Amino acid sequence: MSETKPSVLFVCVHNAGRSQMAAAFLTHLGADQVQVRSAGSAPANTVNPAVVEAMRESGIDISAEAPKILTTEAVQASDVVITMGCGDACPYFPGKRYLDWQLDDPAGQGVAAVRPIRDEIERRIRGLLAELAIEPAA
């Protein structure tokens, strides 16, 4: 891990749903103890509105977020890279910790279908924080 604080990158294809929720939960629960990035191999134009609404229900506003393109620099600058349906589009660098989270894709789904995905991502983020020895913020 970095000498200062650990850095985590979340990657999915469109950077409009799963990776946005994961980044928001880690930013929220990790407070300033972890550096968080998210990106997509083929980013959408906007974050999925159902994802924005589902996160709002959890008290986290991601309405100002925008999908970002995955760069080699983002991967190189991260200690942990978590992919979510990224496939082979995610570059591999030795020395990085890679995790692949198999999660349903919220694309084209309503808020009711996004809620269980959101809840599973939050559960996994809390587990990641425990692995990183970071106490979640209240």
Side-chain angles (χ1 to χ4, degrees):
M1 296 289 160
S2 301
E3 286 183 34
T4 52
K5 51 186 166 183
S7 176
V8 179
L9 170 65
F10 296 100
V11 183
C12 66
V13 175
H14 301 297
N15 190 222
R18 295 166 290 188
S19 56
Q20 289 284 348
M21 287 189 282
F25 274 123
L26 187 55
T27 298
H28 180 76
L29 296 170
D32 61 352
Q33 300 174 77
V34 62
Q35 190 175 50
V36 183
R37 296 179 181 85
S38 73
S41 53
N45 293 323
T46 60
V47 175
N48 180 333
V51 166
V52 172
E53 180 58 31
M55 291 302 290
R56 185 176 289 121
E57 291 175 359
S58 289
I60 300 173
D61 183 6
I62 63 168
S63 61
E65 295 298 325
K68 296 167 276 309
I69 186 75
L70 176 64
T71 64
T72 300
E73 293 77 24
V75 178
Q76 288 175 317
S78 301
D79 299 307
V80 180
V81 179
I82 300 175
T83 58
M84 306 168 175
C86 175
D88 295 333
C90 192
Y92 177 83
F93 292 96
K96 304 290 175 194
R97 179 175 175 209
Y98 287 87
L99 300 171
D100 185 42
W101 288 358
Q102 297 294 318
L103 297 160
D104 290 337
D105 189 347
Q109 304 291 322
V111 177
V114 173
R115 287 183 189 117
I117 302 167
R118 173 202 64 200
D119 295 345
E120 176 61 17
I121 289 172
E122 181 180 9
R123 186 188 70 74
R124 291 182 189 207
I125 292 298
R126 289 181 180 279
L128 179 64
L129 285 168
E131 288 176 31
L132 297 172
I134 295 172
E135 187 69 32

